[in-house]
């Protein structure tokens, strides 16, 4: 997902919306930061760390370039707060110094050992405290940026106890990616979905590797045809097309957040060793050249 997908026309930098999910949301990346508050319902979230149960009072914190997938067990209501990369690296750069969520926002997505998505359990008291600020934030979407920033600060004030190192908020329990459910029917579905989740995690973690479908299939213990089939069923695209997408998104992230790295070096870091090919693939995704993109966002 890109910033154009979440910010209303004519609005930049900061937005919020409430949504209801009753069907699975396939694995996807963001080029913006997101705070997602679970208002009701229950779901499983798949990330590079594993599988997390989402419930009322869960808070998802996602850095630009992070990925996740959500599988609702019943209808789940969320309020999503979106922050653009330029705002996060500019006026709101201090968010990276906050306890608990700061290390996530500072991470380079896909860097070995990094965590670009985390989930906190806020607890009933803090969850209730966030209700009113969230509603006011959603209502402020048609107002100017200063009004939306004020709503963000109100929300962060309500969250402060959960963000403190010794506060009541707790990291959600995360199960390994290959966790199995008990029922036979769920076992088959979960096996395939976790094979896909594992493939996605591997691609993010080793994005600079010269991947082929055959090599990726070996990582998942599936045949290339099996992997291609279940990957498309879960994500709507092929493994190699997904790889091109996340390379374009990671390259954009590097162009936004680094001043000294050349475009060629950034492209090499995401696995595109030919600058001309990198420029073509980047343009296919972003409809502009890497140089023009960097000049526009810096």
């Amino acid at each position: 997902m890109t910033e154009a997908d979440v910010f209303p026309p004519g609005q930049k930098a900061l937005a919020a919306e409430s949504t209801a999910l009753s069907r699975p949301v396939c694995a996807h990346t963001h080029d913006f930061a997101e705070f997602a508050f679970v208002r009701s319902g229950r779901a499983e979230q798949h990330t590079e760390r594993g599988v997390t149960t989402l419930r009322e009072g869960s808070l998802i914190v996602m850095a630009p370039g992070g990925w996740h997938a959500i599988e609702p067990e019943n209808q789940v209501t969320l309020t999503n707060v979106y922050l653009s990369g330029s705002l996060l690296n500019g006026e709101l750069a201090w968010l990276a110094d906050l306890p608990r969520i700061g290390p996530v926002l500072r991470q380079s997505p896909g860097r070995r050992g990094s965590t670009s998505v985390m989930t906190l359990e806020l607890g009933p008291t803090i969850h209730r405290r966030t209700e009113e600020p969230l509603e006011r934030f959603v209502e402020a979407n048609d107002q100017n940026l200063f009004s939306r920033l004020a709503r963000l600060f109100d929300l962060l004030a309500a969250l402060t106890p959960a963000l403190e190192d010794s506060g009541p908020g707790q990291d959600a329990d995360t199960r390994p990616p290959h966790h199995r459910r008990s029922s036979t029917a769920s076992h088959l579905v979960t096996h395939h979905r976790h094979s896909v989740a594992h493939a996605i995690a591997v691609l993010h973690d080793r994005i600079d590797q010269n991947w082929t479908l055959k090599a990726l299939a070996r990582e998942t213990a599936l045949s290339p045809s099996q992997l291609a089939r279940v990957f498309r069923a879960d994500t709507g695209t092929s493994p190699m097309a997904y790889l091109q997408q996340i390379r374009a998104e990671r390259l954009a992230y590097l162009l936004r957040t680094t001043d000294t790295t050349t475009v060629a070096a950034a492209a090499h870091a995401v696995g595109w060793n030919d600058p001309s090919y990198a420029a073509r693939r980047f343009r296919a995704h972003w409809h502009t050249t890497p140089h023009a993109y960097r000049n526009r966002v810096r």
Side-chain angles (χ1 to χ4, degrees), residues 15 29 52 54 95 117 123 135 160 184 216 232 237 248 251 273 275 282 289:
T29 57
T52 303
L54 302 177
L95 289 177
V117 184
E135 293 300 328
T160 296
T184 303
L216 185 61
R232 183 174 291 278
T237 190
L251 178 53
N273 299 323
F282 190 89
T289 66

Side-chain angles (χ1 to χ4, degrees), residues 36-270:
F37 295 80
V38 181
R39 313 288 291 277
S40 65
R42 189 179 176 93
E44 284 194 337
Q45 175 183 233
H46 306 264
T47 72
E48 72 270 19
R49 295 180 64 190
V51 184
T52 303
T53 298
L54 302 177
R55 55 177 66 86
E56 183 177 329
S58 297
L59 168 61
I60 306 166
V61 180
M62 178 177 291
W67 72 269
H68 67 165
I70 298 176
E71 184 179 348
E73 295 181 10
N74 48 33
Q75 181 160 288
V76 178
T77 57
L78 300 167
T79 295
N80 303 307
V81 177
Y82 308 120
L83 298 85
S84 71
S86 58
L87 191 70
L88 189 62
N89 293 317
E91 293 90 337
L92 296 181
W94 51 270
L95 289 177
D97 295 324
L98 290 176
R100 289 192 171 173
I101 66 172
V104 178
L105 299 176
R106 286 197 300 269
Q107 289 285 6
S108 297
R111 179 180 175 184
R112 195 174 300 277
S114 71
T115 300
S116 55
V117 184
M118 74 172 298
T119 305
L120 287 174
E121 298 298 343
L122 299 179
T125 300
I126 298 175
H127 173 62
R128 286 194 296 270
R129 288 178 181 172
T130 64
E131 292 289 306
E132 183 178 352
L134 281 171
E135 293 300 328
R136 294 176 64 207
F137 200 156
V138 173
E139 293 170 358
N141 260 356
D142 59 349
Q143 301 177 27
N144 63 41
L145 177 59
F146 294 109
S147 296
R148 298 197 300 279
L149 282 169
R151 300 296 184 264
L152 175 65
F153 297 151
D154 289 343
L155 178 60
L156 290 173
L159 280 175
T160 296
L163 302 183
E164 295 173 346
D165 288 326
S166 58
Q170 297 181 351
D171 289 359
D173 291 334
T174 301
R175 304 185 297 279
H178 292 287
H179 171 79
R180 296 288 189 265
R181 291 179 176 173
S182 58
S183 73
T184 303
S186 292
H187 170 91
L188 294 175
V189 173
T190 306
H191 172 69
H192 282 162
R193 286 186 173 161
H194 286 292
S195 294
V196 173
H198 180 60
I200 289 172
V202 167
L203 290 177
H204 280 270
D205 189 49
R206 289 181 263 159
I207 196 170
D208 59 339
Q209 187 168 318
N210 184 23
W211 285 108
T212 63
L213 180 60
K214 185 176 181 180
L216 185 61
R218 282 198 298 269
E219 295 281 343
T220 63
L222 296 176
S223 70
S225 61
Q226 285 176 319
L227 176 60
R229 183 171 64 254
V230 298
F231 198 100
R232 183 174 291 278
D234 283 7
T235 69
T237 190
S238 69
M240 294 301 100
Y242 181 83
L243 175 61
Q244 299 288 24
Q245 173 189 324
I246 65 171
R247 280 176 169 169
E249 292 171 350
R250 184 79 57 80
L251 178 53
Y253 175 82
L254 292 174
L255 295 176
R256 288 197 308 273
T257 58
T258 60
D259 291 316
T260 57
T261 303
T262 65
V263 170
H268 181 79
V270 304

Side-chain angles (χ1 to χ4, degrees), residues 263-287:
V263 170
H268 181 79
V270 304
W272 284 334
N273 299 323
D274 182 343
S276 297
Y277 180 77
R280 291 197 302 273
R281 299 307 311 179
F282 190 89
R283 179 186 286 276
H285 186 82
W286 294 105
H287 308 292

